[in-house]
Amino acid sequence: MPAVWAFLQKHRRALCCGGLVLFLLAVLFGVWLVEVRPCESKSLAARLNDAYETAAPPIETSAVQEFCTDQPLTGLAFVFYLSGGQPAGELALELYDADTGLLLSASTGQMANLIEGQYIGLGLDTPVPAGAAARYRLVLTPHYQNEARLALGCSAAPAPGWDGARLEADGQAQAGSLAILASTRAIGRFVSVFYWAVSLLLTAVLAGTYWLVSARRWPAHRLYAALCVGLGLVFCLVLPPYAAPDEEFHINQAFSVASRIGSYLDFDGWHLSHVSLGNSFRRPGDENPVVQDQKTTVFTWQAVADGLFTLSPDRFGEYIEHEGDLQADISNELYLASGLGVLLGFVLHLGFVPTLFLGRLANLAAFAALTALAVKKAPFGKPVFMAAGLLPMTLHLAASYSRDSLLLALSFLYTALCLDAAFGPYQQLSRRQLAGLAAVGLLLAPAKSVYLPLCAFCLLIPAARLGRRARAKQAGFLACCLLVFALSGARYQIAGFLSAALPAGGEPAAAVQQAEAEPEQPPETETGPNAAQSPGGPPAADSVCFSASYILAHPGLTVQLLARSAVQNADHYLKTLVGGSLSYYSLEIAWGWVVCCYLLLAFACRAPAGPPGAPLPKAVLWGRLLAGGLALCCCGLAVLGCVSWTPTYYQTIYGFQGRYLLPVLPAALLALCPAAGWDGRAAAGWDSRAAAQQEGRLLLGLAAVNMGVLVNAMLAVMAR
């Protein structure tokens, strides 16, 4: 027994990791058996003729129908009516080329399984490719074993486009056409293969996180970066390109940035004037209707898998303009990382799908690197930055083309650098530190106007650490931030709000002129009073909105709008902050995972206690007030931006989402942290073991919650 106990103690970490893997695989197998395996029968369908207001006479010998379609066929479904009870026996289907009489495919089914009044399908033993025949002839032959008979639903008149097609029942011509639903593509076992590929990757991420945390050798920022990249890769697979909010417009802009840079590198006669950043450019072959569908389905996964290792036939430097493809912003700085990823795809002559993924991975890598640096530089509150960076909603945006990917990274890093400058172990800041802080702040200032107040976080830095003319340096930096903001397209956002009414059309003619606080597509969950008044679209051109002048003239109505929004849409705001509603807010995640996310945020705010009787720095109160005040100011501006786009006849705020608050989430959480958490000495090492344990448990919890959210999202996609 002592030997067994010694063995268990020696290999405890490996045994626990193995037990965790076995437990996860058992749970995932149960999910596959109950939820995923039945989805192998899913298929795409085309309604060849969907009218069945009448029924052909009960069939004794056979029914023959000629029809036309250019779709591939993997199965055919018909509407059956039962006469005299449930028929028993077999129903045979044969599909011929009507012109040559060649048998193309056949099928047999049991009539005991027929259900009256709905489509019942028969699979074809040999899939028929598109264009296999100009005209088809199908023959249904029942082999009865009792007295009951079946009839087929059909239209009263011949189906449109089936000119000259005949319907016969027992050799007698009928006036109408059979109702036929054709299966054009079956998903088959691919859905199970994809599920297990994602599940095994998630299992490896969670088990690897446990192994590294239990080893206690990697610092917190490295563990965070590895987990961020691992989970981000899975988000890229489960929610492929075009799945994130308004990602279509972000992709257009990233591809245009890549085309613009590529035009500098092309020496075969192209000129820079051919590629304008104000228009959407990409290669001629960069098209895939299935992948470009914003609503992710299992067939989107299959199309992505089929095109993942393709090459492009287009030469480098060959770009065409897509006039109807709008962009997301008038500024392009936040698309530099994704644009460089796309450019790499151009250089390597990769196909459309792998190029899309390179742009996403470039954004993810930039986000992981910058936020890991924020975790490293933060003198305290590291769990706060890790929790905010690993929320499902944050990772969903980071692993997409959304400009919010770099916006979140810059806001997190700037907050951490300000804290490091104010509370780090320095007597005076070096020029290198000041230059880095200023560079990040100046990149953040023009990103989105509602987060401009966050630049004032530099006021937290004590004057003694800035050297001579400290206050002049701070004022000069803030003035530069305002100047950069004024020179960027963000200035139009302020002018638009201060105008008396919304621009014509409810939104600018080109998407590049959108206000940053403008809501994207109205969330599908926000279907209360607004849905009956403006179903699923932007405000009407002639509507009056809550502009600055209207708010000042009607403060009571504005307060009522805010109150109704808080009451009616609070669940939506809470879910979209942490990731309880993903994609175009059409993939709803179970509330249990949402609660877990908020519990982990609360756990991240829990700071290790300081030494008994140790005095706290005098700047703690000022720091907490400044962090909380700036967070509230940015949140208020985000709400105000959406209010300004809300028509006065709306009952709730148009399009506001919780994710708009993510850039200031670390500052808000730090303001809520206990005062002891701001004590630099507590993070400097006196109780570093307790801090490391807290960070490790937090990372494990975040990895587990993200795994649950991703599996939940997969099941939601399969249920479509």
Side-chain angles (χ1 to χ4, degrees):
M1 193 64 183
V4 174
W5 180 252
F7 176 83
L8 294 177
Q9 286 292 103
K10 182 179 180 180
H11 302 283
R12 180 178 58 182
R13 188 159 63 103
L15 292 173
C16 290
C17 190
L20 175 63
V21 170
L22 291 177
F23 171 76
L24 293 176
L25 291 178
V27 172
L28 293 169
F29 178 78
V31 173
W32 172 81
L33 194 63
V34 176
E35 298 289 346
V36 180
R37 190 180 180 187
C39 293
E40 293 182 357
S41 61
K42 292 177 72 72
S43 62
L44 288 176
R47 300 180 185 274
L48 304 184
N49 180 28
D50 194 33
Y52 49 94
E53 61 267 21
T54 186
I59 303 172
E60 291 291 341
T61 58
S62 66
V64 180
Q65 172 71 69
E66 293 182 357
F67 66 95
C68 303
T69 182
D70 58 356
Q71 300 276 359
L73 302 174
T74 61
L76 295 172
F78 311 91
V79 177
F80 294 96
Y81 296 100
L82 309 181
S83 177
Q86 183 76 40
E90 291 185 342
L91 177 64
L93 180 151
E94 296 172 323
L95 185 64
Y96 296 88
D97 185 328
D99 296 327
T100 64
L102 176 66
L103 178 64
L104 301 175
S105 189
S107 180
T108 302
Q110 296 294 323
M111 288 187 285
N113 298 326
L114 298 181
I115 300 175
E116 186 172 22
Q118 67 183 54
Y119 282 107
I120 302 296
L122 294 169
L124 300 177
D125 60 357
T126 303
V128 178
R135 185 184 296 269
Y136 298 93
R137 179 167 62 92
L138 69 87
V139 180
L140 289 170
T141 305
H143 301 282
Y144 296 111
Q145 295 179 358
N146 60 3
E147 298 300 322
R149 295 294 182 262
L150 61 84
L152 292 165
C154 61
S155 58
W162 293 4
D163 297 336
R166 297 180 295 111
L167 169 61
E168 296 181 359
D170 298 332
Q172 300 295 320
Q174 305 295 317
S177 300
L178 287 183
I180 303 177
L181 184 69
S183 297
T184 59
R185 185 177 181 183
I187 192 66
R189 297 185 60 187
F190 171 81
V191 67
S192 290
V193 173
F194 183 82
Y195 168 81
W196 278 113
V198 171
S199 298
L200 292 176
L201 184 56
L202 283 172
T203 302
V205 169
L206 187 56
T209 302
Y210 172 79
W211 185 267
L212 293 175
V213 167
S214 59
R216 298 177 183 174
R217 294 178 181 175
W218 280 24
H221 66 279
R222 290 186 183 177
L223 284 171
Y224 165 83
L227 188 56
C228 184
V229 171
L231 291 173
L233 287 173
V234 185
F235 269 96
C236 279
L237 295 175
V238 175
L239 298 170
Y242 289 89
D246 276 2
E247 191 170 10
E248 173 188 359
F249 308 117
H250 300 303
I251 288 175
N252 292 339
Q253 195 150 352
F255 269 71
S256 295
V257 170
S259 301
R260 177 70 171 180
I261 300 175
S263 66
Y264 283 90
L265 307 178
D266 180 29
F267 303 102
D268 296 332
W270 271 79
H271 302 287
L272 299 181
S273 59
H274 290 175
V275 179
S276 171
L277 285 176
N279 302 320
S280 296
F281 283 84
R282 56 177 181 264
R283 298 173 300 184
D286 288 341
E287 298 286 344
N288 190 320
V290 179
V291 175
Q292 290 174 286
D293 186 0
Q294 298 171 359
K295 188 173 183 179
T296 304
T297 66
V298 292
F299 297 97
T300 310
W301 293 341
Q302 192 173 51
V304 168
D306 292 341
L308 195 55
F309 301 101
T310 57
L311 296 177
S312 174
D314 306 318
R315 73 172 182 85
F316 181 75
E318 185 177 1
Y319 312 116
I320 60 173
E321 182 180 356
H322 293 255
E323 295 182 358
D325 292 349
L326 302 179
Q327 297 183 6
D329 193 7
I330 198 170
S331 301
N332 296 285
E333 291 78 9
L334 295 181
Y335 298 94
L336 184 59
S338 56
L340 290 175
V342 172
L343 180 64
L344 179 60
F346 289 173
V347 173
L348 299 177
H349 294 280
L350 298 180
F352 184 42
V353 173
T355 301
L356 283 173
F357 272 90
L358 278 180
R360 273 189 156 202
L361 294 178
N363 251 3
L364 176 62
F367 173 84
L370 293 176
T371 52
L373 182 59
V375 173
K376 180 180 180 180
K377 288 294 184 180
F380 54 85
K382 294 181 186 292
V384 166
F385 290 94
M386 291 191 291
L390 291 175
L391 286 175
M393 179 58 76
T394 309
L395 288 173
H396 180 36
L397 297 173
S400 74
Y401 278 84
S402 175
R403 59 190 167 196
D404 289 345
S405 177
L406 282 184
L407 170 67
L408 290 169
L410 289 173
S411 61
F412 288 11
L413 180 57
Y414 181 74
T415 303
L417 289 177
C418 288
L419 290 174
D420 183 48
F423 295 97
Y426 316 111
Q427 293 295 328
Q428 189 170 348
L429 300 178
S430 66
R431 292 183 179 179
R432 184 177 178 180
Q433 288 176 299
L434 292 175
L437 181 61
V440 176
L442 291 175
L443 287 174
L444 176 63
K448 279 192 177 182
S449 59
V450 296
Y451 308 117
L452 179 62
L454 195 61
C455 294
F457 210 51
C458 67
L459 298 176
L460 185 65
I461 305 173
R465 296 194 172 198
L466 294 174
R468 296 177 58 188
R469 299 178 180 177
R471 297 310 176 194
K473 291 179 181 178
Q474 290 176 327
F477 168 71
L478 293 178
C480 289
C481 290
L482 290 174
L483 179 62
V484 171
F485 172 81
L487 294 176
S488 70
R491 64 185 184 275
Y492 296 114
Q493 304 156 21
I494 304 298
F497 171 68
L498 295 178
S499 62
L502 191 69
E507 57 183 352
V512 296
Q513 297 173 351
Q514 288 178 341
E516 288 294 342
E518 171 202 354
E520 282 113 351
Q521 279 300 104
E524 295 186 13
T525 55
E526 208 172 63
T527 56
N530 292 352
Q533 299 164 353
S534 181
D542 57 350
S543 63
V544 178
C545 296
F546 283 83
S547 61
S549 58
Y550 188 90
I551 292 174
L552 293 175
H554 304 84
L557 294 178
T558 306
V559 172
Q560 291 180 31
L561 177 75
L562 296 173
R564 281 194 300 267
S565 300
V567 172
Q568 297 181 20
N569 297 331
D571 59 338
H572 175 70
Y573 302 151
L574 290 173
K575 294 184 75 172
T576 53
L577 174 61
V578 298
S581 187
L582 299 175
S583 189
Y584 276 78
Y585 309 106
S586 58
L587 293 180
E588 293 297 321
I589 307 302
W591 260 103
W593 299 118
V594 177
V595 172
C596 288
C597 288
Y598 279 101
L599 290 176
L600 287 172
L601 289 177
F603 179 75
C605 293
R606 189 177 65 89
L616 295 175
K618 296 180 179 180
V620 167
L621 179 59
W622 163 239
R624 296 181 69 188
L625 289 176
L626 182 61
L630 292 178
L632 285 176
C633 182
C634 293
C635 293
L637 289 175
V639 173
L640 187 61
C642 290
V643 168
S644 68
W645 283 81
T646 303
T648 56
Y649 57 83
Y650 267 40
Q651 298 297 306
T652 58
I653 299 174
Y654 171 74
F656 181 73
Q657 302 150 28
R659 68 182 180 90
Y660 293 160
L661 311 182
L662 282 175
V664 295
L665 183 60
L669 293 177
L670 286 169
L672 297 175
C673 282
W678 287 72
D679 187 357
R681 285 169 296 182
W686 86 271
D687 197 12
S688 59
R689 182 180 178 85
Q693 288 179 346
Q694 180 191 10
E695 293 162 1
R697 292 167 184 168
L698 179 65
L699 288 174
L700 276 175
L702 289 167
V705 168
N706 276 286
M707 182 176 184
V709 168
L710 284 163
V711 173
N712 194 162
M714 289 186 71
L715 297 181
V717 170
M718 294 177 195
R720 286 176 165 171

